[in-house]
Amino acid sequence: MAFDVSLGQYYEGKSLIHKLDPRTKLIYVIMFMVSIFVAKSIYAFALLSVVVLLTVIFSRVPIRTILRGLKPLIVIVAFTAILNIFWTKAESDPLWQWKFITIYKEGLINAGLLALRIILLLVETTLFLSYTTTPIELTDGIESLLAPLKLIKLPVHEFAMLMTIALRFIPTLTDETSKIMNAQKARGADFSSGGLIKRAKALIPIIIPLFVSSFRRADELATAMECRCYRGGEGRTRMKKLKFKVKDVFGWLFSIALLAGVILMNIFLAEYGYMI
Amino acid sequence: MSIIELKDVSFVYGKKTPYEIKALDNVSLNIEENLITGLIGHTGSGKSTLVQMLNGILKPNSGTVIVDGEDIWKKPKKIASVRYKVGMVMQYPEYQLFADTVKDDIAYGPKNMKLSAEEIEKRVFRSAEFCGIDKETLEKSPFDLSGGQKRRVALAGVMAMNPKILVLDEPAAGLDPKGRREILGGIKKYRDESGTTVIIVSHSMEDMAMYCDRVVVMSDSKILSNGTCREVFSQSQLLKENGLDVPEITNVVLKLREKGINIPNDIYTVEDAVKAISSLSLERRAKNGI
Amino acid sequence: MSSIIKLENVSYKYPDNDNLENRFALNDLSLDINEGEFVAILGHNGSGKSTAAKLMNMILTPDSGKIYVAGKEISDQKMKESEVYEIRKNVGMVFQNPDNQIVATVVEEDVAFGPENLGVPPAEIRQRVDEALDIVGMKSYARHAPHRLSGGQKQRVAIAGIIAMKPKCIIFDESTAMLDPLGRKEVMNTILRLNKEEKITIVLITHYMNEAILADKVVVMKEGSKYMQGTPNEVFSKPEKLWRAGLEVPQSIELINALNKELNLEIPLGVYDLDTCAELIKNAIEK
């Protein structure tokens, strides 16, 4: 299926995680991030891994889908991990030495834990904010969470509106781009040969019409919005109000418990685990 | 003689996904040289896909596309050269304009063909004339023109490439009646003078009847009917069964036949209808000795 | 019948005169649109018909002349913002390009956009959205993404978005121009239903004469002024006059007109269905 930006990577489902309020999910993801970064004890990592595994199972999003989503990022994770191996300097005897490259045991462990951190973080973030939440829910959630910032005159509503409109128009503009490309190809345009400068120049007949049409669209959309009495966030109501339910309370409690658990493990189980 | 030949062409969008859509189903079609062929059918009937087969923007899943005696997919790397032979004017072509002046925009195609400066100049003026663009307008920015004028500039840009075959997807969409007549009339005049083969995709039966020599009707990824206007529009029953219609004038003529007036059933322009009814009436008057 | 929109000697000139598209403005236009009426404004491109529409809900303000909506003068430059929105709530507008008037990524969210802006309570918005989608026949698409719909469906969603604001009058500014025949039919059927069943006043701006024929009243514009006005029957029975305005008439009228001249007949010109048209011709030539 073609990537549909209005749904993102949304995986239709009715699991507990799908049904959580987007704000709860945002709070949980933030707590999870903090937990991942404060985690030091190897037991804490074990706990976080188990949590990730359980949430994946709970969400009923196929593990294969999630792994496929990770694929393009594996190279970056591996690269960062390898750099870490070489950069770690320790007191202990080196495992292996060749010219200026020295590898220590600590380096290997560090690299492994770093890779684990990044992977856990990626899986949990995409699971909660992408696979089980539509972009529109996410936007609503962000707008609602940031609402207090309106007090210091930050344009929170405008930001959310901007995101919605961008999501709405990306497919339209993608279509338009391919139409314009076909039209210029029909006039003999060549986008795939020549050096960098020649190729960049060949894009002008696409970029200019695309800009002109985007401005025209923006102008027409603005008029249409005004005709529908849009005047910013003030005095505006919403058809669907976000409402916390009982399960959201459990969500918050779980988030707090997770962070607390990780901190406690850092303190009390330090001697049993590897500390970094 | 046919200049385009489609042999058993099939095409499927999103092949091997749950969203598979069959757009062309074993279509075979010949397009005659020097004629204006109208291509008609509902949205989703496969006509846009068919048109994109002709200049190699889409590649058939099976079957061959022969343009001017050559299988266009024989050397896939040379597919771009087909685009000089088959000029394509897309829907709402005014949205593809980009250059600083109308002249430069029309010259874009010929420049890509690496023609000499003199030849480019000659072609720009010639095609501008066909499309009713005056010298003064040539120096203007295309973005300062009215919608109808922009459309004509885009059309001139493709004509300037001197294609053997000119394909137009709804060239008159969104124009008022006068604008429609001007642009379609201009295309007919261009064919008369240059001998180019023209294919027009349209939704308007009346326009087809007025400007086309032959009509191809598509329905459900297949060709439903193919022939001269006279042949196609006399199949009103078949067209109506497939949710299409015949020109209003043909419907009036059919009603007259129902009422016992002895008038041929293959009339598709007002002019012909007036002639047929007049001669009937004059005959009757002569018979009654008026 | 009370008038809902009234234009009195309205003139308008676009500030940017070099732009050819905007060269034509309005010149001393007077117009009356009555409550519950279906009025078609017909004219060639650039005849000023869209400008007239934009004046009716305050997208533009006239250089001179007066405009009244539901008895209230709106040509006054010093109107309060809240009053402007009151006018726009009552006079909704559907534009030409369906893509450029849909705001949200889900159909029902888009329909809710207008009532949300008006500050309608959530439960009532829900009800209005369901009703509006039902009227335009798009209820089963409520959770769909707009960009996956056909042109006619998108335009119906846009109409639902206006209906949900409960306007007294809806202006259609060439809303069928970019659609295929099926889409056009869908939208025209919706417009007729709004007028007949929901009693909403309709102003339809178009250059398709077969759409104008369905109206109660047709106004023909030419070069910024009113050129003709009357019932469809009155307007379309003057083919020569319409041709001079760059417009056309149905082929049946063209045929009768030509036969009258060719054979010295006196078949009355008018908007007929096929049967009546054929009957009239038959009687005339068999006389």
Side-chain angles (χ1 to χ4, degrees), chain A residues 1-2 4-6 136 140 161 164-165 167-169 171-172 216-217 220-232 234-241, chain C residues 57 59 85 88-89 93 95 97 99-105 108-120 122 125-126 129 143 145 147-148 161-162 165:
Chain A
M1 186 189 164
D4 184 343
V5 85
S6 66
I136 198 155
D140 285 351
M161 192 48 127
T164 308
I165 292 175
L167 286 168
R168 157 73 189 79
F169 275 89
T172 309
R216 183 177 43 84
R217 282 182 194 283
E220 286 181 19
L221 184 71
T223 310
M225 283 170 74
E226 262 186 53
C227 283
R228 290 166 79 180
C229 298
Y230 181 68
R231 52 196 135 165
E234 220 162 300
R236 210 166 177 264
T237 48
R238 296 304 305 270
M239 174 169 72
K240 284 182 193 156
K241 269 230 171 104
Chain C
N57 75 344
I59 298 175
Y85 289 112
R88 290 199 176 138
K89 188 196 104 151
M93 191 135 165
F95 296 88
N97 191 334
D99 274 323
N100 299 353
Q101 47 190 324
I102 294 178
V103 185
T105 50
E108 62 177 12
E109 300 277 350
D110 185 75
V111 178
F113 182 73
E116 286 178 343
N117 292 334
L118 295 172
V120 175
I125 299 181
R126 182 76 256 175
V129 167
R143 299 289 307 154
H147 73 269
R148 291 276 170 103
I162 300 297
M165 293 168 64

Coordinates of all heavy atoms in Angstrom, one line a residue, chain A residues 1-2 4-6 136 140 161 164-165 167-169 171-172 216-217 220-232 234-241, chain C residues 57 59 85 88-89 93 95 97 99-105 108-120 122 125-126 129 143 145 147-148 161-162 165:
Chain A
M1 N 0.8 -1.2 0.0 CA 0.0 0.0 0.0 C 0.9 1.3 0.0 O 1.9 1.3 0.7 CB -0.9 0.0 1.3 CG -1.9 1.1 1.3 SD -2.6 1.1 2.9 CE -3.3 2.8 2.9
A2 N 0.4 2.2 -0.8 CA 1.2 3.5 -0.8 C 1.1 4.1 0.6 O 0.1 4.0 1.3 CB 0.6 4.4 -1.9
D4 N 0.3 6.5 3.2 CA -0.7 7.5 3.3 C -0.5 8.4 4.4 O -0.6 8.1 5.6 CB -2.1 6.8 3.4 CG -3.2 7.8 3.4 OD1 -3.0 9.0 3.6 OD2 -4.4 7.3 3.2
V5 N -0.1 9.7 4.1 CA 0.4 10.6 5.2 C -0.7 10.9 6.2 O -0.4 11.2 7.3 CB 1.1 11.8 4.5 CG1 0.0 12.8 4.2 CG2 2.1 12.3 5.4
S6 N -2.0 10.9 5.7 CA -3.0 11.3 6.7 C -3.2 10.2 7.7 O -3.8 10.5 8.8 CB -4.3 11.5 5.9 OG -4.8 10.3 5.4
I136 N -4.0 13.0 13.4 CA -4.9 14.0 13.8 C -5.1 13.9 15.4 O -5.2 14.9 16.1 CB -6.2 13.9 13.1 CG1 -7.0 15.2 13.2 CG2 -7.1 12.7 13.5 CD1 -8.0 15.5 12.1
D140 N -4.2 16.9 18.1 CA -5.1 17.3 19.1 C -4.5 17.1 20.5 O -4.6 18.0 21.3 CB -6.4 16.4 19.1 CG -7.3 16.8 17.9 OD1 -7.0 17.9 17.3 OD2 -8.3 16.1 17.6
M161 N -3.0 23.9 14.0 CA -3.7 24.1 12.7 C -2.8 23.9 11.5 O -3.1 23.3 10.5 CB -4.3 25.5 12.7 CG -5.3 25.8 11.6 SD -6.5 24.4 11.5 CE -7.9 25.1 11.6
T164 N -2.2 20.3 11.0 CA -3.3 19.6 10.3 C -3.4 19.9 8.8 O -3.5 19.0 8.0 CB -4.6 20.1 10.9 OG1 -4.5 20.0 12.4 CG2 -5.8 19.4 10.4
I165 N -3.2 21.2 8.5 CA -3.2 21.6 7.1 C -2.1 21.0 6.3 O -2.3 20.5 5.2 CB -3.2 23.1 6.9 CG1 -4.5 23.7 7.5 CG2 -3.1 23.5 5.5 CD1 -4.6 25.2 7.5
L167 N -0.7 18.1 6.9 CA -1.0 16.7 6.7 C -2.1 16.6 5.6 O -2.0 15.7 4.8 CB -1.6 16.1 8.0 CG -0.6 15.8 9.1 CD1 -1.3 15.5 10.4 CD2 0.3 14.6 8.7
R168 N -3.0 17.5 5.6 CA -4.1 17.5 4.6 C -3.5 17.7 3.2 O -4.0 17.1 2.2 CB -5.1 18.5 5.0 CG -6.0 19.0 3.9 CD -7.0 18.0 3.5 NE -7.7 18.5 2.2 CZ -7.2 18.4 1.0 NH1 -6.1 17.8 0.8 NH2 -7.9 18.9 0.0
F169 N -2.5 18.6 3.1 CA -2.1 18.9 1.7 C -0.9 18.2 1.2 O -0.6 18.2 0.0 CB -1.8 20.4 1.6 CG -3.1 21.2 1.3 CD1 -3.9 21.6 2.4 CD2 -3.5 21.4 0.0 CE1 -5.1 22.2 2.1 CE2 -4.7 22.0 -0.2 CZ -5.5 22.4 0.8
P171 N -0.5 14.9 0.5 CA -0.9 14.0 -0.6 C -1.3 14.8 -1.8 O -0.9 14.4 -3.0 CB -2.0 13.2 -0.1 CG -2.5 13.8 1.2 CD -1.4 14.6 1.7
T172 N -2.0 15.9 -1.7 CA -2.4 16.7 -2.8 C -1.2 17.3 -3.6 O -1.1 17.2 -4.8 CB -3.3 17.9 -2.3 OG1 -4.3 17.4 -1.5 CG2 -3.9 18.7 -3.5
R216 N -1.2 29.6 -4.8 CA -2.6 29.8 -5.2 C -3.5 29.0 -4.3 O -4.6 29.4 -3.8 CB -2.8 29.3 -6.7 CG -4.2 29.4 -7.3 CD -4.2 29.0 -8.7 NE -3.4 27.8 -8.9 CZ -3.9 26.6 -8.7 NH1 -5.2 26.4 -8.3 NH2 -3.2 25.5 -8.9
R217 N -3.1 27.7 -4.0 CA -3.9 26.9 -3.1 C -4.0 27.6 -1.7 O -5.1 27.6 -1.1 CB -3.2 25.5 -2.9 CG -3.5 24.6 -4.1 CD -2.8 23.3 -3.8 NE -2.8 22.5 -5.0 CZ -3.8 21.8 -5.5 NH1 -5.0 21.8 -5.0 NH2 -3.6 21.1 -6.6
E220 N -6.5 30.4 -1.9 CA -7.9 29.9 -2.0 C -8.3 29.3 -0.6 O -9.4 29.5 -0.2 CB -8.0 28.9 -3.1 CG -8.0 29.6 -4.5 CD -8.2 28.6 -5.6 OE1 -8.7 27.5 -5.4 OE2 -7.8 29.0 -6.7
L221 N -7.4 28.5 0.0 CA -7.8 27.9 1.2 C -8.0 29.0 2.3 O -9.0 28.8 3.1 CB -6.7 27.0 1.7 CG -7.0 26.2 3.0 CD1 -8.0 25.1 2.7 CD2 -5.7 25.5 3.5
A222 N -7.2 30.0 2.3 CA -7.4 31.1 3.3 C -8.8 31.7 3.2 O -9.5 31.9 4.1 CB -6.3 32.1 3.2
T223 N -9.1 32.0 1.9 CA -10.5 32.6 1.6 C -11.6 31.6 2.1 O -12.5 32.1 2.7 CB -10.6 32.9 0.1 OG1 -9.5 33.6 -0.3 CG2 -11.9 33.7 -0.1
A224 N -11.4 30.4 1.7 CA -12.4 29.4 2.1 C -12.6 29.3 3.6 O -13.7 29.2 4.1 CB -12.1 28.0 1.5
M225 N -11.4 29.3 4.3 CA -11.5 29.3 5.8 C -12.2 30.5 6.4 O -12.9 30.4 7.3 CB -10.1 29.1 6.3 CG -9.5 27.7 6.2 SD -7.8 27.5 6.6 CE -7.8 27.6 8.3
E226 N -11.9 31.6 5.8 CA -12.5 32.9 6.3 C -14.0 32.8 6.1 O -14.8 33.2 6.9 CB -12.0 34.1 5.5 CG -10.9 34.8 6.3 CD -10.5 36.0 5.6 OE1 -11.4 36.9 5.3 OE2 -9.3 36.2 5.4
C227 N -14.4 32.2 4.9 CA -15.9 32.1 4.6 C -16.5 31.1 5.6 O -17.7 31.1 5.7 CB -16.1 31.6 3.2 SG -15.8 32.8 2.0
R228 N -15.7 30.3 6.2 CA -16.3 29.4 7.2 C -16.0 29.9 8.6 O -16.0 29.2 9.6 CB -15.7 28.0 7.0 CG -16.3 27.3 5.7 CD -15.5 26.1 5.3 NE -15.9 25.0 6.1 CZ -15.3 23.8 6.0 NH1 -14.4 23.6 5.0 NH2 -15.7 22.8 6.7
C229 N -15.9 31.2 8.6 CA -15.8 32.0 9.9 C -14.6 31.6 10.8 O -14.7 31.7 12.0 CB -17.1 31.8 10.7 SG -18.5 32.4 9.9
Y230 N -13.5 31.2 10.2 CA -12.3 30.9 11.0 C -11.7 32.2 11.4 O -11.5 33.1 10.6 CB -11.3 30.1 10.2 CG -10.1 29.7 10.9 CD1 -10.2 28.8 12.0 CD2 -8.9 30.3 10.6 CE1 -9.0 28.5 12.7 CE2 -7.7 30.0 11.4 CZ -7.8 29.1 12.4 OH -6.7 28.8 13.1
R231 N -11.4 32.3 12.7 CA -10.7 33.5 13.2 C -9.8 33.1 14.3 O -9.7 33.7 15.4 CB -11.8 34.5 13.7 CG -12.7 33.9 14.7 CD -14.0 34.7 14.9 NE -15.2 33.9 14.8 CZ -16.3 34.3 15.2 NH1 -16.5 35.5 15.7 NH2 -17.4 33.5 15.2
G232 N -9.0 32.0 14.1 CA -8.1 31.6 15.1 C -8.7 30.8 16.2 O -9.9 30.4 16.1
E234 N -9.6 31.5 19.3 CA -10.4 32.1 20.3 C -11.9 31.8 20.1 O -12.4 32.0 18.9 CB -10.2 33.6 20.4 CG -10.2 34.1 21.8 CD -9.5 35.4 21.9 OE1 -8.3 35.5 21.5 OE2 -10.2 36.4 22.2
G235 N -12.6 31.4 21.1 CA -14.1 31.2 20.9 C -14.4 30.0 20.1 O -15.6 29.7 19.8
R236 N -13.4 29.2 19.8 CA -13.6 28.0 19.0 C -14.0 26.8 20.0 O -13.4 26.7 21.0 CB -12.3 27.7 18.3 CG -12.6 27.0 17.0 CD -11.3 27.0 16.1 NE -11.7 26.2 14.9 CZ -11.4 25.0 14.8 NH1 -10.7 24.3 15.7 NH2 -11.8 24.3 13.7
T237 N -14.9 26.0 19.5 CA -15.2 24.7 20.2 C -14.7 23.6 19.4 O -14.3 23.7 18.3 CB -16.7 24.6 20.5 OG1 -17.4 24.8 19.3 CG2 -17.2 25.5 21.5
R238 N -14.7 22.4 19.9 CA -14.3 21.2 19.2 C -15.5 20.2 19.2 O -16.1 20.0 20.2 CB -13.1 20.5 19.7 CG -11.8 21.4 19.7 CD -11.5 21.9 18.3 NE -11.4 20.8 17.3 CZ -10.2 20.2 17.0 NH1 -9.1 20.5 17.6 NH2 -10.2 19.3 16.1
M239 N -15.7 19.5 18.1 CA -16.7 18.4 18.0 C -16.3 17.3 19.0 O -17.1 16.8 19.8 CB -16.8 17.9 16.6 CG -17.8 16.7 16.5 SD -18.2 16.3 14.8 CE -16.7 15.6 14.2
K240 N -15.0 16.9 18.8 CA -14.5 15.8 19.7 C -13.6 16.4 20.7 O -12.5 16.8 20.5 CB -13.8 14.8 18.8 CG -14.7 13.9 18.0 CD -13.9 12.9 17.2 CE -14.8 12.3 16.2 NZ -14.0 11.8 15.1
K241 N -14.1 16.4 22.0 CA -13.2 16.8 23.0 C -12.5 15.6 23.5 O -13.0 14.6 23.7 CB -14.1 17.4 24.2 CG -14.4 18.9 24.0 CD -14.1 19.5 25.4 CE -14.1 21.0 25.3 NZ -15.3 21.5 25.9
Chain C
N57 N -20.6 37.9 0.1 CA -20.3 37.5 1.5 C -19.0 38.2 2.1 O -18.3 37.7 2.9 CB -20.3 36.0 1.7 CG -19.0 35.4 1.2 OD1 -18.3 36.0 0.4 ND2 -18.8 34.2 1.6
I59 N -16.1 39.0 1.0 CA -14.7 38.8 0.6 C -14.1 40.0 0.0 O -13.0 40.4 0.2 CB -14.5 37.6 -0.3 CG1 -15.1 36.3 0.3 CG2 -13.1 37.3 -0.7 CD1 -15.1 35.1 -0.6
Y85 N -18.8 38.0 10.5 CA -18.9 36.6 10.7 C -20.4 36.2 10.7 O -20.7 35.1 10.2 CB -18.2 36.1 11.9 CG -16.7 36.1 11.7 CD1 -15.9 37.0 12.4 CD2 -16.1 35.3 10.7 CE1 -14.5 37.1 12.1 CE2 -14.8 35.4 10.4 CZ -14.0 36.3 11.2 OH -12.6 36.4 10.9
R88 N -21.3 36.0 7.1 CA -20.7 34.8 6.4 C -21.3 33.5 6.9 O -21.4 32.5 6.1 CB -19.2 34.7 6.7 CG -18.5 35.9 6.0 CD -17.0 35.6 5.9 NE -16.4 36.6 5.1 CZ -15.2 37.2 5.4 NH1 -14.6 36.8 6.5 NH2 -14.8 38.2 4.6
K89 N -21.8 33.5 8.1 CA -22.5 32.3 8.6 C -23.8 32.2 7.8 O -24.3 31.0 7.5 CB -22.8 32.6 10.1 CG -23.4 31.4 10.8 CD -24.0 31.7 12.1 CE -25.5 31.7 11.9 NZ -26.5 31.5 12.6
M93 N -20.4 29.8 1.1 CA -19.8 29.8 -0.2 C -19.1 28.5 -0.5 O -18.2 28.1 0.3 CB -18.9 31.0 -0.3 CG -18.5 31.3 -1.7 SD -18.6 33.1 -2.0 CE -17.7 33.3 -3.4
F95 N -16.6 26.8 -3.4 CA -15.7 27.3 -4.5 C -15.5 26.3 -5.6 O -16.0 25.2 -5.5 CB -14.4 27.7 -3.9 CG -14.5 28.9 -2.9 CD1 -14.7 28.7 -1.6 CD2 -14.4 30.2 -3.4 CE1 -14.9 29.8 -0.7 CE2 -14.5 31.3 -2.5 CZ -14.7 31.1 -1.2
N97 N -12.4 24.8 -6.8 CA -11.5 23.7 -6.6 C -11.8 23.0 -5.3 O -11.5 23.5 -4.2 CB -10.1 24.2 -6.7 CG -9.1 23.1 -6.8 OD1 -9.4 21.9 -6.3 ND2 -7.9 23.3 -7.3
D99 N -10.3 20.7 -3.8 CA -9.1 20.4 -3.0 C -8.8 21.6 -2.1 O -8.2 21.4 -1.0 CB -7.9 20.1 -3.9 CG -7.9 18.6 -4.2 OD1 -8.2 17.8 -3.4 OD2 -7.5 18.3 -5.4
N100 N -9.0 22.8 -2.6 CA -8.6 23.9 -1.8 C -9.5 24.5 -0.8 O -9.4 25.7 -0.4 CB -8.1 25.0 -2.8 CG -7.0 24.6 -3.7 OD1 -6.5 23.5 -3.6 ND2 -6.7 25.4 -4.7
Q101 N -10.5 23.7 -0.5 CA -11.5 24.2 0.6 C -11.7 23.2 1.7 O -12.5 23.4 2.6 CB -12.8 24.7 0.0 CG -13.4 23.7 -1.0 CD -14.5 24.4 -1.8 OE1 -15.3 25.1 -1.2 NE2 -14.7 24.0 -3.0
I102 N -11.0 22.1 1.6 CA -11.1 21.1 2.6 C -9.9 21.2 3.5 O -8.8 21.2 3.1 CB -11.3 19.7 2.0 CG1 -12.6 19.6 1.3 CG2 -11.2 18.6 3.1 CD1 -12.9 18.3 0.6
V103 N -10.2 21.4 4.8 CA -9.1 21.7 5.8 C -8.6 20.5 6.5 O -7.4 20.4 6.7 CB -9.7 22.7 6.8 CG1 -8.6 23.2 7.7 CG2 -10.3 23.9 6.2
A104 N -9.5 19.6 6.9 CA -9.0 18.5 7.8 C -8.7 17.2 7.0 O -9.0 17.1 5.8 CB -10.1 18.2 8.8
T105 N -8.1 16.3 7.7 CA -7.7 15.0 7.1 C -8.7 13.9 7.2 O -8.5 12.8 6.7 CB -6.4 14.5 7.7 OG1 -6.5 14.5 9.1 CG2 -5.2 15.4 7.3
E108 N -15.4 13.9 8.4 CA -16.3 14.5 9.4 C -15.7 15.7 10.2 O -16.3 16.6 10.6 CB -16.9 13.5 10.4 CG -15.9 12.7 11.2 CD -16.5 11.8 12.2 OE1 -17.7 11.5 12.0 OE2 -15.8 11.3 13.0
E109 N -14.3 15.6 10.4 CA -13.6 16.7 11.1 C -13.7 17.9 10.2 O -13.8 19.1 10.7 CB -12.2 16.3 11.2 CG -11.9 15.1 12.1 CD -11.9 15.4 13.6 OE1 -11.9 16.6 13.9 OE2 -11.9 14.4 14.3
D110 N -13.7 17.8 8.9 CA -13.8 18.9 8.0 C -15.1 19.6 8.1 O -15.3 20.8 8.1 CB -13.4 18.6 6.6 CG -13.4 19.8 5.7 OD1 -12.4 20.5 5.8 OD2 -14.4 20.1 5.0
V111 N -16.2 18.7 8.1 CA -17.5 19.3 8.1 C -17.7 20.0 9.5 O -18.4 21.0 9.5 CB -18.6 18.1 8.0 CG1 -20.0 18.7 8.1 CG2 -18.4 17.4 6.6
A112 N -17.1 19.5 10.5 CA -17.2 20.2 11.8 C -16.5 21.5 11.9 O -16.8 22.3 12.8 CB -16.7 19.2 12.9
F113 N -15.6 21.8 11.0 CA -14.8 23.0 11.0 C -15.6 24.3 11.2 O -15.3 25.1 12.1 CB -13.9 23.1 9.8 CG -12.9 24.2 9.8 CD1 -11.8 24.2 10.6 CD2 -13.1 25.3 8.9 CE1 -10.9 25.3 10.6 CE2 -12.2 26.3 8.9 CZ -11.1 26.3 9.7
G114 N -16.6 24.5 10.4 CA -17.4 25.7 10.4 C -18.1 25.9 11.8 O -17.9 26.9 12.4
P115 N -18.9 24.9 12.2 CA -19.6 25.0 13.5 C -18.6 25.2 14.6 O -18.9 25.9 15.6 CB -20.3 23.7 13.6 CG -20.4 23.1 12.3 CD -19.4 23.7 11.4
E116 N -17.4 24.6 14.6 CA -16.4 24.7 15.6 C -16.0 26.2 15.7 O -15.8 26.8 16.8 CB -15.2 23.9 15.3 CG -15.4 22.4 15.6 CD -14.2 21.5 15.3 OE1 -13.3 22.0 14.5 OE2 -14.2 20.4 15.7
N117 N -15.8 26.8 14.5 CA -15.4 28.2 14.5 C -16.5 29.1 15.1 O -16.2 30.2 15.6 CB -15.1 28.7 13.0 CG -13.9 28.0 12.5 OD1 -13.0 27.6 13.2 ND2 -13.8 27.9 11.2
L118 N -17.7 28.7 14.9 CA -18.8 29.5 15.4 C -19.0 29.3 16.9 O -19.9 29.9 17.5 CB -20.1 29.1 14.7 CG -20.2 29.4 13.2 CD1 -21.4 28.8 12.6 CD2 -20.2 30.9 13.0
G119 N -18.3 28.3 17.5 CA -18.4 28.1 18.9 C -19.6 27.3 19.3 O -20.2 27.5 20.4
V120 N -20.1 26.5 18.4 CA -21.3 25.6 18.7 C -20.9 24.6 19.7 O -19.8 24.0 19.6 CB -21.8 25.0 17.4 CG1 -22.9 24.0 17.7 CG2 -22.2 26.1 16.4
P122 N -20.2 21.0 21.5 CA -19.8 19.8 20.9 C -20.9 18.8 20.5 O -20.9 18.3 19.4 CB -18.9 19.1 21.9 CG -18.3 20.2 22.7 CD -19.4 21.3 22.7
I125 N -22.6 20.1 17.5 CA -21.8 20.0 16.3 C -21.9 18.6 15.7 O -22.2 18.4 14.5 CB -20.3 20.2 16.6 CG1 -20.1 21.6 17.1 CG2 -19.4 20.0 15.3 CD1 -18.7 22.0 17.4
R126 N -21.8 17.6 16.6 CA -21.9 16.2 16.2 C -23.2 16.0 15.4 O -23.2 15.4 14.4 CB -21.9 15.3 17.5 CG -22.0 13.8 17.4 CD -20.7 13.2 16.9 NE -20.8 12.9 15.5 CZ -19.8 12.4 14.8 NH1 -18.6 12.3 15.3 NH2 -19.9 12.1 13.5
V129 N -23.2 17.8 12.0 CA -22.3 17.1 11.1 C -23.0 15.9 10.5 O -23.0 15.7 9.3 CB -20.9 16.7 11.8 CG1 -20.1 15.7 10.9 CG2 -20.1 17.9 12.1
R143 N -15.6 8.8 8.0 CA -14.3 8.6 8.6 C -13.2 8.5 7.5 O -12.1 8.1 7.8 CB -14.2 7.3 9.5 CG -15.1 7.4 10.7 CD -14.7 8.3 11.7 NE -13.3 8.1 12.2 CZ -12.6 9.1 12.7 NH1 -13.0 10.3 12.9 NH2 -11.3 8.8 13.1
A145 N -10.5 9.6 4.4 CA -9.6 10.7 4.1 C -10.1 11.5 2.8 O -10.3 10.8 1.8 CB -8.2 10.2 3.9
H147 N -8.7 13.2 0.5 CA -7.9 13.1 -0.8 C -8.1 11.8 -1.5 O -7.8 11.7 -2.7 CB -6.5 13.4 -0.6 CG -5.7 12.3 0.1 ND1 -5.6 12.2 1.5 CD2 -5.1 11.2 -0.4 CE1 -4.9 11.1 1.7 NE2 -4.6 10.5 0.6
R148 N -8.8 10.9 -0.9 CA -9.1 9.6 -1.6 C -10.4 9.6 -2.3 O -10.8 8.7 -3.0 CB -9.1 8.5 -0.6 CG -7.8 8.1 0.0 CD -7.1 7.2 -0.9 NE -5.7 7.0 -0.5 CZ -5.3 5.9 0.1 NH1 -6.1 4.9 0.3 NH2 -4.0 5.8 0.4
G161 N -19.9 20.9 4.7 CA -19.2 21.8 5.6 C -19.9 23.2 5.7 O -19.9 23.8 6.8
I162 N -20.5 23.6 4.6 CA -21.3 24.8 4.6 C -22.7 24.6 5.3 O -23.1 25.4 6.2 CB -21.5 25.4 3.2 CG1 -20.1 25.7 2.6 CG2 -22.3 26.7 3.2 CD1 -19.3 26.7 3.3
M165 N -23.1 24.9 9.0 CA -23.2 26.2 9.6 C -24.6 26.8 9.6 O -24.8 27.9 10.1 CB -22.2 27.2 8.9 CG -20.8 26.8 9.0 SD -19.7 27.7 7.9 CE -19.9 29.4 8.5

